[in-house]
Amino acid sequence: MIIQRVVLNSRPGKNGVPVAENFRLEQSTIADTIQAGQVRVRTLYLSVDPYMRCRMNEDTGSDYLLPWQLSEVADGGGIGIVEESKHDNLAKGDFVISFSWPWQTVAILDGSLLQKLVPQLVNGHLSYFLGAAGITGLTALLGIKEKGHVAAGANQTMVVSGAAGACGSLAGQIGRLEGCSRVVGIAGTDEKCSILVQEMGFDAAINYKKEDVAEQLRKLCPGGVDVYFDNVGGDISDTVISQMNRNSHIILCGQISQYNKDVPYPPPLPPDIEKIQKERNITRERFLVLNYMDKQEASVLQLCQWIQEGKLKVRETMVEGLANVGAAFQSMMNGGNIGKQIVLVSK
């Protein structure tokens, strides 16, 4: 059977900025028949995520991420529909998900590595299982629960950087649902800031490209910052940390401003900021959602309930066509998407 697939065409280099041309669309073939335990699936949705920048390097810098190989098919979170099955627990027409889904139109996969989906849990929005009801939502929820130390009634102020992105847009809302009394987002355009406040319930948002972040934080968080959901690192995070309270908490989710730099993860803080962190006893511990998979099922059900009740607003930037996955990746790394970046492969 002839299929289309996307392979890694070139590496941007550890300090390079990814471009669409780092990926290549090509024709390939898969077997016409499947073996016992396998399923043939047609790809519906692919997730494009910031962490994938690390997989473009020969050394990902992480013990849990494997590098993509040149001229080999890329992979990540994906959802598809079963077209043929020789696996006891999966049937034709089932919707399934995997977080090592090959970037190709049709694939033959081991059925035991797939999870069956229930579309009703997300009001039929299957792609939400790659975002708000998937690893992205879990990262926001469990990050806040495990590292944020949010307590209802404690009058805590949360700041979220990268607030209009897939994880940040959920984190601010979840911080509120978990008990924060004030939530302030930091984003890069007026449109994003407007969406955060008017649609997603943030109290305020700062456009870091146009406004003085330190000055705005002093104005919008007069009592200081108690919880910081850090998606970006770099200068913005240094500015937020300088205004954090004693015994406050940093949820170290991502450091997207550092992903095109050859630095360790998490990147070290500048000496003056590190001094503030230590003097004020601010926690800054590496957070990896994969370490909390024993809480996955209950947490996904909570996320789905909030979605069904309309308490969790979900934004997606949808790009159509497998051929456009490279452009979608480049746009995401440049901060061009609002919410989750999804590629619609087929309907």
Side-chain angles (χ1 to χ4, degrees):
M1 177 183 292
I2 298 174
I3 63 163
Q4 287 187 316
R5 67 177 192 169
V6 170
V7 303
L8 184 65
N9 187 51
S10 59
R11 300 189 190 278
K14 283 197 171 183
N15 299 306
V17 178
V19 293
E21 290 73 25
N22 291 134
F23 299 95
R24 181 177 78 247
L25 180 71
E26 64 179 27
Q27 279 196 345
S28 185
T29 59
I30 60 172
D32 291 325
T33 58
I34 61 175
Q35 305 300 314
Q38 293 182 329
V39 294
R40 188 179 76 246
V41 292
R42 176 165 53 88
T43 305
L44 300 177
Y45 301 101
L46 295 172
S47 175
V48 180
D49 302 286
Y51 82 86
M52 292 173 170
R53 172 63 184 86
C54 303
R55 300 193 67 189
M56 299 180 81
N57 298 333
E58 289 184 82
D59 178 7
T60 66
S62 170
D63 54 4
Y64 66 92
L65 287 178
L66 295 175
W68 286 328
Q69 299 301 317
L70 288 172
S71 296
E72 295 293 333
V73 67
D75 68 297
I79 290 173
I81 186 170
V82 175
E83 294 189 325
E84 182 182 359
S85 175
K86 288 188 178 179
H87 188 276
D88 291 342
N89 297 327
L90 296 172
K92 182 179 180 180
D94 285 346
F95 295 107
V96 291
I97 188 171
S98 169
F99 290 95
S100 55
W101 195 287
W103 286 6
Q104 56 193 57
T105 49
V106 180
I108 295 174
L109 303 176
D110 182 344
S112 65
L113 302 180
L114 300 173
Q115 181 182 349
K116 187 175 175 179
L117 299 175
V118 181
Q120 293 82 356
L121 289 175
V122 288
N123 298 328
H125 295 283
L126 272 174
S127 57
Y128 285 9
F129 284 114
L130 292 172
I135 289 292
T136 311
L138 286 172
T139 300
L141 176 57
L142 291 171
I144 289 168
K145 281 184 170 292
E146 301 296 329
K147 300 295 185 182
H149 303 278
V150 173
N155 196 33
Q156 292 164 297
T157 293
M158 172 187 278
V159 171
V160 183
S161 59
C167 202
S169 60
L170 299 171
Q173 297 178 76
I174 291 170
R176 172 85 75 201
L177 290 166
E178 288 294 303
C180 285
S181 59
R182 186 163 185 78
V183 178
V184 175
I186 302 174
T189 69
D190 288 341
E191 178 193 12
K192 291 178 179 180
C193 290
S194 177
I195 288 170
L196 291 174
V197 174
Q198 296 181 15
E199 185 177 315
M200 297 185 172
F202 284 61
D203 292 283
I206 302 167
N207 183 344
Y208 73 89
K209 292 184 178 179
K210 293 174 61 174
E211 300 176 277
D212 184 315
V213 176
E215 179 183 325
Q216 287 300 308
L217 283 173
R218 284 190 290 270
K219 174 183 174 183
L220 297 171
C221 309
V225 178
D226 302 296
V227 183
Y228 173 40
F229 199 98
D230 184 5
N231 284 304
V232 302
D235 293 342
I236 287 176
S237 290
D238 296 344
T239 302
V240 176
I241 293 169
S242 69
Q243 297 195 34
M244 293 186 73
N245 294 323
R246 181 168 297 280
N247 301 321
S248 55
H249 305 284
I250 299 169
I251 302 165
L252 196 58
C253 178
Q255 302 282 278
I256 194 169
S257 73
Q258 308 299 301
Y259 285 172
N260 296 325
K261 301 176 183 178
D262 187 11
V263 295
Y265 185 87
L269 296 170
D272 57 328
I273 302 300
E274 185 178 21
K275 182 180 178 182
I276 290 173
Q277 181 209 345
K278 290 180 177 178
E279 288 179 346
R280 298 181 191 172
N281 192 36
I282 301 170
T283 64
R284 183 180 184 256
E285 302 165 342
R286 184 172 183 176
F287 171 73
L288 181 59
V289 70
L290 298 177
N291 291 336
Y292 301 93
M293 285 298 96
D294 58 316
K295 301 180 180 181
Q296 176 184 4
E297 186 175 353
S299 299
V300 168
L301 290 175
Q302 175 65 83
L303 292 164
C304 289
Q305 181 181 336
W306 282 335
I307 291 170
Q308 291 172 346
E309 294 173 349
K311 294 179 179 178
L312 198 59
K313 308 296 184 183
V314 182
R315 271 272 185 163
E316 294 177 323
T317 298
M318 192 76 71
V319 174
E320 291 194 29
L322 186 64
N324 294 315
V325 70
F329 190 93
Q330 179 178 345
S331 175
M332 176 204 61
M333 291 302 300
N334 291 333
N337 61 301
I338 299 176
K340 186 72 175 180
Q341 178 74 72
I342 298 286
V343 174
L344 171 62
V345 178
S346 61
K347 297 181 180 179

